[in-house]
């Protein structure tokens, strides 16, 4: 298939390097405000759409709790942040359509499947799933190193041990440091990658490279953005992940507006040169 491309925008095409803007902390909070405005336009639709996310989380956590894997509950809850950029694809599309004054009802969230960049989007989605699995494996290995192979006897005894023993605090400190490194990798590679691919089909590699350049150009604002995302997802996860049905759409819409602030728009195509008129009989 000639149009099935992942690395770049087509065979033999030149790799595109979108221009990066410098932004400030105020721009981050303005993107959040705009994202909340998008959410507030039709909040019931977005809450319904995003219930899929917390419901999936509850299923996984219930499975881990009943399968002698209580030690994975916290890594599962925090690890969802690694999948957030991909899970919010439909929200980027809604913000894009609202920006262009098109119909932005919730059903258009599924229009992303028609995007010509879908192969590249899928490739980045697979990358995030791999990182998510790697985080769970790493968290399980850290638990095994400190606690051995035995599963926790009960949820409350495990929490008590974590909070009152040296090995428990070692688990908390090292686990969160390692989790921060995973989150930093995701931030650096996808902060604008998915919105960029929806906006213009430039290939997965160029989208990741553009995200990395955006972070290097704007380290303070984007580290603040990462902190806001982590705190918001953490707070949204507290009431059995149900709060994510509100937190996720606001962050998803805000990501689109942050992308608009970070990336220079694509230049308009030059008008085609007028064809010279030929005289009859010449």
């Amino acid at each position: 298939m000639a149009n099935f491309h992942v690395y770049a925008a087509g065979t033999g095409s030149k790799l595109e390097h979108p221009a990066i803007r410098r932004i400030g902390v105020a721009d981050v909070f303005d993107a959040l405000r705009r994202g909340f405005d998008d959410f507030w336009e039709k909040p019931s639709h977005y809450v319904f759409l995003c219930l899929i996310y917390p419901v999936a989380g509850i299923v996984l956590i219930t499975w881990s709790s009943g399968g002698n894997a209580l030690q994975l509950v916290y890594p599962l809850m925090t690890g969802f942040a690694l999948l957030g950029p991909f899970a919010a694809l439909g929200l980027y599309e809604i913000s894009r359509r609202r920006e262009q004054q098109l119909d932005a009802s919730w059903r258009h969230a599924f229009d992303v499947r028609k995007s010509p960049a879908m192969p590249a989007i899928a490739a980045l989605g697979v990358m995030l799933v791999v990182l998510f699995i790697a985080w769970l494996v790493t968290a399980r290995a850290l638990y095994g190193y400190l606690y051995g192979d035995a599963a926790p006897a009960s949820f409350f005894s495990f929490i008590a041990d974590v909070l009152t023993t040296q090995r428990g605090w070692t688990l908390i400190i090292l686990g969160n440091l390692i989790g921060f490194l995973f989150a930093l990798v995701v931030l650096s590679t996808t902060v604008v990658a998915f919105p960029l691919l929806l906006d213009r089909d430039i290939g997965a590699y160029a989208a990741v490279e553009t995200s990395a350049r955006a972070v290097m150009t704007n380290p303070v604002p984007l580290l603040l953005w990462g902190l806001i995302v982590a705190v918001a997802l953490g707070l949204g996860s507290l009431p059995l992940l149900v709060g994510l049905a509100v937190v996720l759409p606001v962050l998803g819409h805000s990501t689109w507006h942050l992308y608009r602030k970070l990336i220079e728009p694509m230049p308009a195509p030059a008008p085609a040169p007028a064809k010279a008129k030929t005289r009859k009989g010449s």
Side-chain angles (χ1 to χ4, degrees):
M1 296 176 63
N3 291 329
F4 191 91
H5 50 269
V6 173
Y7 178 82
T11 306
S13 62
K14 185 178 179 181
L15 190 65
E16 185 177 342
H17 300 279
I20 307 294
R21 291 170 173 158
R22 290 190 179 274
I23 65 171
V25 169
D27 292 304
V28 173
F29 288 106
D30 184 62
L32 275 172
R33 180 187 62 78
R34 292 171 182 266
F36 185 80
D37 288 344
D38 283 354
F39 166 75
W40 196 247
E41 181 73 11
K42 293 177 181 176
S44 59
H45 291 343
Y46 302 149
V47 170
F48 172 78
L49 180 66
C50 295
L51 278 175
I52 298 170
Y53 191 73
V55 165
I58 291 171
V59 169
L60 285 174
I61 290 172
T62 302
W63 165 80
S64 63
S65 300
N68 294 324
L70 284 170
Q71 67 275 19
L72 292 181
V73 170
Y74 179 74
L76 276 169
M77 292 176 66
T78 55
F80 272 114
L82 304 179
L83 301 176
F86 181 71
L89 268 173
L91 301 166
Y92 310 147
E93 176 64 14
I94 290 173
S95 285
R96 186 187 71 83
R97 294 182 65 85
R98 188 167 182 242
E99 182 183 83
Q100 297 179 4
Q101 299 183 340
L102 300 173
D103 179 20
S105 55
W106 67 270
R107 67 180 181 274
H108 288 293
F110 300 99
D111 287 353
V112 295
R113 71 186 189 278
K114 304 174 185 176
S115 170
M118 201 60 214
I121 290 171
L124 291 187
V126 170
M127 180 190 78
L128 291 184
V129 170
V130 170
L131 284 171
F132 176 67
I133 293 172
W135 157 242
L136 293 181
V137 171
T138 303
R140 177 64 184 86
L142 178 61
Y143 172 84
Y145 173 74
L146 294 171
Y147 284 83
D149 294 330
S154 71
F155 178 78
F156 291 107
S157 64
F158 177 56
I159 294 299
D161 187 275
V162 167
L163 295 177
T164 60
T165 65
Q166 182 178 354
R167 66 176 181 175
W169 279 103
T170 302
L171 180 67
I172 291 173
I173 294 170
L174 285 182
N176 281 287
L177 284 175
I178 295 170
F180 170 77
L181 293 178
F182 274 93
L184 189 61
V185 170
V186 171
L187 176 71
S188 301
T189 55
T190 66
V191 65
V192 297
F194 289 105
L196 178 59
L197 287 172
L198 282 180
D199 194 34
R200 51 182 114 163
D201 184 12
I202 66 172
Y205 178 85
V208 169
E209 185 263 351
T210 302
S211 290
R213 286 191 294 116
V215 172
M216 288 187 291
T217 304
N218 301 280
V220 173
L222 290 185
L223 284 175
L224 172 63
W225 170 249
L227 178 63
I228 290 172
V229 169
V231 171
L233 289 175
L235 292 175
S237 299
L238 290 178
L240 293 177
L241 301 178
V242 175
L244 293 177
V246 174
V247 170
L248 181 63
V250 171
L251 291 177
H253 292 308
S254 300
T255 299
W256 174 264
H257 294 292
L258 189 67
Y259 155 70
R260 283 300 196 200
K261 290 177 178 293
L262 283 165
I263 306 300
E264 290 282 357
M266 189 164 48
K275 292 183 179 180
K277 293 182 179 180
T278 57
R279 295 181 180 179
K280 293 182 179 180
S282 59

